Amino acid sequence: MMHFSQTISIDQLGVEERIARFNTRSIKKASKVQGLKLALSMIDLTTLEGKDTQGKVKQLCYKAQHIADNLTHLPSVAAICVYPNHVKTAKKSLMNSTIKVASVATAFPSGNSSLKIKLADTRMAVDHGADEVDMVISRGQFLEGNYGYVSDEIAAIKEACGSARLKVILETGELSTLENVRKASEIAILAGADFIKTSTGKISPAATMPVTYVMLQTIRDYYDATGKMVGMKPAGGISTAKIALQYLVMLYETLGDAWMTNEWFRFGASSLANDIVMQLAKEEMGVYYSADYISKD
Amino acid sequence: MATTKQTTRTKTVLPAVKSGQKKTVKSTTAKNVRLTNTTWAYAAAPESADHISIKEQYDLFINGKFVKPSSKKYFATVSPSTEKKISEVAEANEKDIDLAVKSAKAAYDTTWGKMPGKERAKYIYRIARLMQERAREFAVIESMDGGKPIRESRDIDIPLACNHFFYYAGWADKLEYAFPNRHPKPLGVAGQIIPWNFPLLMAAWKIAPALATGNTVVLKPAETTPLTALKLAEIIQESGLPDGVVNIVTGFGNVGAAIVNHPLVNKVAFTGSTPVGKYIQKAIAGTNKKATLELGGKAAHIIFDDAPIDQAVEGIVNGIFFNQGHVCCAGSRLFVQENIAELVIKKLKRRMETLLVGDPLDKNTDIGAINSKEQLAKIKHYLNLGQKEGAEMYQSNCALPSKGYFCKPTIFLHTSQSHRIVQEEIFGPVLAIQTFRTIEEVIEKANNIPYGLSAGVWTDKGSKIFNLTSKLRAGVVWANTYNKFDPTSPFGGYKESGFGREGGIHGLMGYVTL
């Protein structure tokens, strides 16, 4: 870890080459099934729309608990991710399950508001029972070079979270360079993030493998320096089982076994779960079945 | 031939989490949905070998036909990963070489030497396309015969070999533009002797420019890896190339010597060891034969403290563990600036743990088999020597297959220019690591070696790169990458790494008189 005013050099082409190597790994048979189940258990099933309603949130929560009752031995997803005003509904719907409720907060997705409002937003989510808070950093302040501001803000939100775990969204699609991603990751981790997360899903590009790789390397370096683990959540754009497996290969070869659990790795995704179910059904039955067999809640 | 082993790979061992660490977050974990004890491992993913055809016995390819060797002798070619015989190939002797060279000479005199460039190009293109169509078959045979991982033969060796033919096909009718107003003319018969580390690729490097410039060829593949060259002979036959333009003869050192010494050979192109290169130079002294020699290397791979460290670690791995380290331009002498040495070595050791060593035909294998029993013995000799010299040896914790010739990825720490493992070419997955303090020091040490084939530099500073590329006495200097090859880029050495260039417009020069 360096001082924020310094920049750790990262070679974009080198990163892309490494990603290409991850993607040549051939994941077949037992390791495929195991990987797909693991990926399913790591999903934060997400609905973050202006048109979200109680009905929609309830349906999603039911789906989270019954992702495909016709298949055997499927894990449930890790969490439901909603806006703060839907936390209560989600919490109630998931009362009898172990699935967590995550809430975005801090003037999501732009983060353009005062600290006071962001704190109130966070407290509301936590008071309503959110187990996890997904905050956004102030990208404007970051790009202005006000790293202290970004850091203090994260620390303040972390305090407001209490026992809820804090995921810090860097919105890497707005940070432009891998060096910036590295720097923002360090700021978030040192300010107390339990997880670092790539994207809101509202900006393109959302999660990419190079960006996630740089964030995983930051987590690795922090762990080497302090012995403390930090979680990782790529979000947005991971829509197929194949891509999810590529992320798991990258996670496995960068951070190792200890991170191969939904305690330390999550996928922020809405349609990924269905593709994984489709692939697992194929492994179980030997053929692909119609997508109409999988619920679209 | 297919490997049907369905075993699961040995788990990659990565640092475990300290036990106390988990407790601090226990209250907020979703422990019931967690898949416990997820020790993921990659299941075996063998490339199918069903579609390939290998004959039980191969003859010599002379004058467009496969002919029996006059010795009537054949020798086995063995898979280094299974130690099983794959096929047997003819053992040529001086008589056969005489026949091959005379066929090449006749083809040069009657057809090939007179043929217009644009006609020659058509044949070369055709060979390239036929190779491309059968790329997967070539890749599988290359991995079976030589031990290199299928990922490399599939993604690097074979595509590059095809691209060399495509590239030089393009030059065949443009030689006047490559050498304006100098009227390039072919030399005649080229005798070409290639090594076992990139069997088909080296054949392509040699044959493609020779044909493009109007020369005919007698090529000898290495005795441990003759099969892809013989498959290439089949393709050449199929392509309708006039008889005798390319002759491929298998055998041992005496065959190479017979080619070099044959009076009708006008050009010797050799890739291999420095001692043999010296022998060739002595042998052709006083003759009119031209030569290009691409010999050994002991490349300096330099990591400055402003380098992108994580990518540099990838570069180090690629530099020394690519093709089991059987690469003449391998980055086998690592120089790390002392203030980052600890960090780099820590990251390198961890990265080594994720390298999968084993069955070359498994798509997930990173490091395959050492090419031969003899080469493995040589590498082991250096592993012992390095330890005896007092260097600290570190090897990854991977399990090696019980059969076949395998070597763990190895690094030696605390070495100096005085160590023999630093001075001599090992040609295996063995890296000697030194530290340095200043740029002047590292330039001096990088050049302090009889070899000069390649070097690598890692720094974020462009000016530093240009400073070094002009001062390092090496034919190729890679900056912020390593082991990159392209048909358009010349490749060759300084000092005892040889002379002449292969690839690019420079690669034509060795096959023409101006």
Side-chain angles (χ1 to χ4, degrees):
Chain A
M1 297 284 153
M2 300 175 90
H3 191 270
F4 298 150
S5 63
Q6 291 173 292
T7 298
I8 289 190
S9 111
I10 295 171
D11 189 84
Q12 170 97 29
L13 291 175
V15 170
E16 282 167 13
E17 232 170 73
R18 181 72 181 113
I19 303 304
R21 272 298 281 278
F22 289 132
N23 295 350
T24 63
R25 291 290 192 213
S26 177
I27 307 301
K28 299 279 185 249
K29 304 188 184 83
S31 47
K32 182 175 179 185
V33 173
Q34 194 188 357
L36 289 177
K37 286 185 178 173
L38 182 59
L40 187 59
S41 79
M42 288 169 161
I43 291 176
D44 283 4
L45 210 54
T46 303
T47 182
L48 294 170
E49 294 174 350
K51 62 178 193 277
D52 282 347
T53 57
Q54 289 204 26
K56 163 78 185 174
V57 171
K58 277 182 197 164
Q59 287 167 352
L60 197 67
C61 289
Y62 188 83
K63 173 177 180 153
Q65 300 167 80
H66 304 276
I67 204 111
D69 285 345
N70 57 329
L71 298 175
T72 47
H73 309 300
L74 289 195
S76 59
V77 298
I80 286 286
C81 185
V82 293
Y83 272 111
N85 55 331
H86 292 295
V87 169
K88 257 187 191 165
T89 311
K91 199 67 193 169
K92 206 171 152 201
S93 307
L94 294 169
M95 217 158 43
N96 298 320
S97 84
T98 53
I99 297 170
K100 302 289 166 188
V101 175
S103 172
V104 296
T106 72
F108 180 93
S110 76
N112 281 329
S113 191
S114 67
L115 178 60
K116 199 173 150 196
I117 286 172
K118 292 183 186 181
L119 285 171
D121 202 18
T122 307
R123 285 196 192 105
M124 172 184 161
V126 174
D127 290 348
H128 287 186
D131 304 293
E132 299 167 358
V133 171
D134 291 25
M135 73 167 286
V136 290
I137 65 164
S138 297
R139 281 89 75 192
Q141 295 285 349
F142 179 88
L143 293 170
E144 282 175 27
N146 297 334
Y147 306 126
Y149 181 94
V150 177
S151 171
D152 291 348
E153 193 177 61
I154 297 167
I157 301 292
K158 167 73 182 167
E159 206 179 333
C161 283
S163 65
R165 291 179 93 191
L166 175 64
K167 306 195 197 100
V168 178
I169 303 170
L170 310 180
E171 194 64 303
T172 53
E174 292 187 336
L175 297 183
S176 176
T177 66
L178 292 177
E179 276 94 348
N180 275 348
V181 170
R182 168 88 197 195
K183 194 175 281 187
S185 302
E186 290 192 4
I187 292 170
I189 290 170
L190 292 174
D194 296 303
F195 260 80
I196 49 177
K197 175 175 167 184
T198 58
S199 325
T200 60
K202 305 293 180 195
I203 294 285
S204 183
T208 65
M209 287 188 76
V211 154
T212 307
Y213 177 68
V214 168
M215 292 167 77
L216 290 173
Q217 287 285 9
T218 317
I219 290 170
R220 162 57 68 192
D221 289 344
Y222 181 69
Y223 177 75
D224 282 349
T226 64
K228 288 182 193 153
M229 290 173 79
V230 173
M232 174 70 209
K233 177 176 171 184
I238 303 163
S239 55
T240 67
K242 186 179 177 185
I243 302 175
L245 284 178
Q246 291 172 337
Y247 272 81
L248 285 187
V249 166
M250 174 164 69
L251 174 68
Y252 183 55
E253 296 195 16
T254 310
L255 294 181
D257 258 349
W259 270 264
M260 299 288 283
T261 140
N262 63 13
E263 204 179 316
W264 297 111
F265 194 82
R266 297 282 177 85
F267 290 107
S270 47
S271 58
L272 173 62
N274 277 16
D275 194 51
I276 292 179
V277 169
M278 175 80 98
Q279 301 301 329
L280 283 171
K282 192 234 169 190
E283 292 297 318
E284 199 171 306
M285 304 176 192
V287 287
Y288 283 108
Y289 59 28
S290 163
D292 289 340
Y293 283 97
I294 307 169
S295 64
K296 290 209 170 109
D297 288 311
Chain B
M1 288 291 181
T3 312
T4 49
K5 211 170 42 178
Q6 294 297 325
T7 49
T8 298
R9 282 189 174 278
T10 318
K11 166 184 166 278
T12 304
V13 186
L14 290 165
V17 188
K18 284 171 196 157
S19 57
Q21 186 52 36
K22 275 181 185 164
K23 280 178 193 158
T24 55
V25 290
K26 207 172 183 180
S27 58
T28 57
T29 55
K31 57 179 177 286
N32 292 356
V33 288
R34 177 182 167 184
L35 290 180
T36 47
N37 303 322
T38 45
T39 306
W40 204 30
Y42 304 147
E47 174 73 44
S48 164
D50 298 345
H51 59 291
I52 65 160
S53 70
I54 299 177
K55 290 192 275 192
E56 278 178 17
Q57 199 179 67
Y58 282 92
D59 290 322
L60 305 170
F61 183 65
I62 296 174
N63 206 22
K65 286 160 217 66
F66 282 95
V67 298
K68 302 245 172 267
S70 59
S71 68
K72 304 217 166 47
K73 281 197 275 187
Y74 292 83
F75 62 95
T77 180
V78 172
S79 163
S81 55
T82 61
E83 300 180 44
K84 283 188 189 134
K85 182 173 121 179
I86 307 174
S87 178
E88 56 183 25
V89 298
E91 187 183 334
N93 61 18
E94 283 74 6
K95 244 191 212 167
D96 302 308
I97 298 311
D98 186 51
L99 190 62
V101 174
K102 282 181 177 152
S103 304
K105 173 75 175 143
Y108 176 76
D109 290 339
T110 58
T111 57
W112 198 250
K114 296 177 186 163
M115 194 184 283
K118 68 177 184 350
E119 295 303 316
R120 290 200 307 271
K122 289 179 190 170
Y123 289 105
I124 307 173
Y125 272 126
R126 197 176 300 159
I127 294 169
R129 281 197 303 269
L130 288 169
M131 282 172 75
Q132 221 170 24
E133 277 166 22
R134 288 162 69 175
R136 196 51 63 95
E137 185 181 9
F138 270 111
V140 171
I141 296 175
E142 199 76 301
S143 286
M144 286 169 62
D145 201 19
K148 65 174 64 205
I150 186 78
R151 187 188 62 77
E152 289 177 8
S153 50
R154 180 196 64 204
D155 296 348
I156 299 166
D157 287 60
I158 310 304
L160 254 182
C162 299
N163 285 348
H164 266 269
F165 277 102
F166 278 120
Y167 174 75
Y168 280 109
W171 272 122
D173 62 347
K174 302 174 193 71
L175 297 175
E176 290 290 346
Y177 300 93
F179 309 104
N181 298 319
R182 297 179 72 188
H183 310 299
K185 292 199 179 53
L187 301 171
V189 177
Q192 307 181 324
I193 301 158
I194 57 170
W196 45 259
N197 56 344
F198 295 94
L200 186 71
L201 182 59
M202 288 302 111
W205 278 31
K206 297 277 184 284
I207 295 173
L211 296 188
T213 45
N215 299 277
T216 57
V217 165
V218 176
L219 176 114
K220 177 200 163 304
E223 59 267 25
T224 61
T225 56
L227 289 183
T228 45
L230 290 163
K231 294 299 281 188
L232 178 61
E234 291 177 357
I235 277 184
I236 285 169
Q237 210 173 25
E238 206 180 312
S239 75
L241 189 75
D243 291 346
V245 175
V246 173
N247 304 274
I248 295 177
V249 288
T250 47
F252 299 90
N254 59 319
V255 175
I259 294 173
V260 169
N261 292 318
H262 198 289
L264 292 178
V265 166
N266 305 94
K267 152 87 183 185
V268 176
F270 171 74
T271 297
S273 72
T274 296
V276 176
K278 287 180 178 173
Y279 164 83
I280 290 172
Q281 270 204 286
K282 279 179 202 153
I284 63 174
T287 72
N288 203 18
K289 290 172 189 171
K290 278 185 92 167
T292 43
L293 303 177
E294 202 267 87
L295 310 173
K298 191 80 182 177
H301 199 177
I302 304 166
I303 319 290
F304 287 101
D305 61 0
D306 59 356
I309 306 256
D310 287 318
Q311 287 74 60
V313 169
E314 289 304 315
I316 297 167
V317 167
N318 186 30
I320 189 63
F321 301 130
F322 173 56
N323 198 28
Q324 297 76 244
H326 302 326
V327 186
C328 39
C329 54
S332 48
R333 276 189 306 152
L334 185 70
F335 291 93
V336 187
Q337 201 150 18
E338 204 155 319
N339 55 342
I340 54 159
E342 201 184 322
L343 179 67
V344 169
I345 288 159
K346 184 174 177 181
K347 282 176 179 271
L348 176 60
K349 283 181 175 174
R350 181 184 300 124
R351 177 68 175 93
M352 285 166 66
E353 295 300 329
T354 63
L355 293 171
L356 301 170
V357 185
D359 180 8
L361 285 182
D362 192 309
K363 290 175 220 164
N364 288 327
T365 293
D366 295 306
I367 300 179
I370 300 301
N371 189 269
S372 65
K373 204 176 186 173
E374 293 70 33
Q375 188 58 26
L376 183 61
K378 183 183 162 193
I379 293 167
K380 282 185 171 161
H381 160 76
Y382 277 106
L383 295 185
N384 289 331
L385 179 65
Q387 286 166 294
K388 254 186 234 158
E389 285 183 309
E392 183 188 323
M393 186 171 85
Y394 175 85
Q395 295 184 307
S396 76
N397 289 305
C398 61
L400 297 183
S402 52
K403 268 247 151 192
Y405 317 128
F406 290 91
C407 177
K408 288 183 178 185
T410 307
I411 57 176
F412 276 106
L413 303 169
H414 313 301
T415 66
S416 67
Q417 288 289 99
S418 315
H419 282 81
R420 276 183 59 201
I421 52 166
V422 170
Q423 296 164 343
E424 295 171 21
E425 185 179 40
I426 300 172
F427 226 61
V430 183
L431 178 68
I433 303 179
Q434 298 182 69
T435 58
F436 70 94
R437 298 157 297 174
T438 65
I439 190 161
E440 296 78 16
E441 179 186 3
V442 79
I443 291 170
E444 186 180 21
K445 286 184 174 171
N447 289 333
N448 175 22
I449 193 101
Y451 297 111
L453 191 54
S454 61
V457 184
W458 289 81
T459 166
D460 209 28
K461 232 179 187 167
S463 58
K464 210 185 269 178
I465 292 170
F466 287 115
N467 180 18
L468 270 133
T469 48
S470 58
K471 287 181 182 149
L472 292 173
R473 300 261 297 148
V476 183
V477 181
W478 285 290
N480 293 336
T481 187
Y482 206 91
N483 273 342
K484 286 280 179 303
F485 306 98
D486 192 276
T488 63
S489 170
F491 183 92
Y494 275 72
K495 301 194 276 187
E496 290 197 15
S497 290
F499 50 81
R501 294 291 178 265
E502 294 182 300
I505 197 169
H506 310 69
L508 298 166
M509 216 115 66
Y511 290 97
V512 291
T513 47
L514 298 174

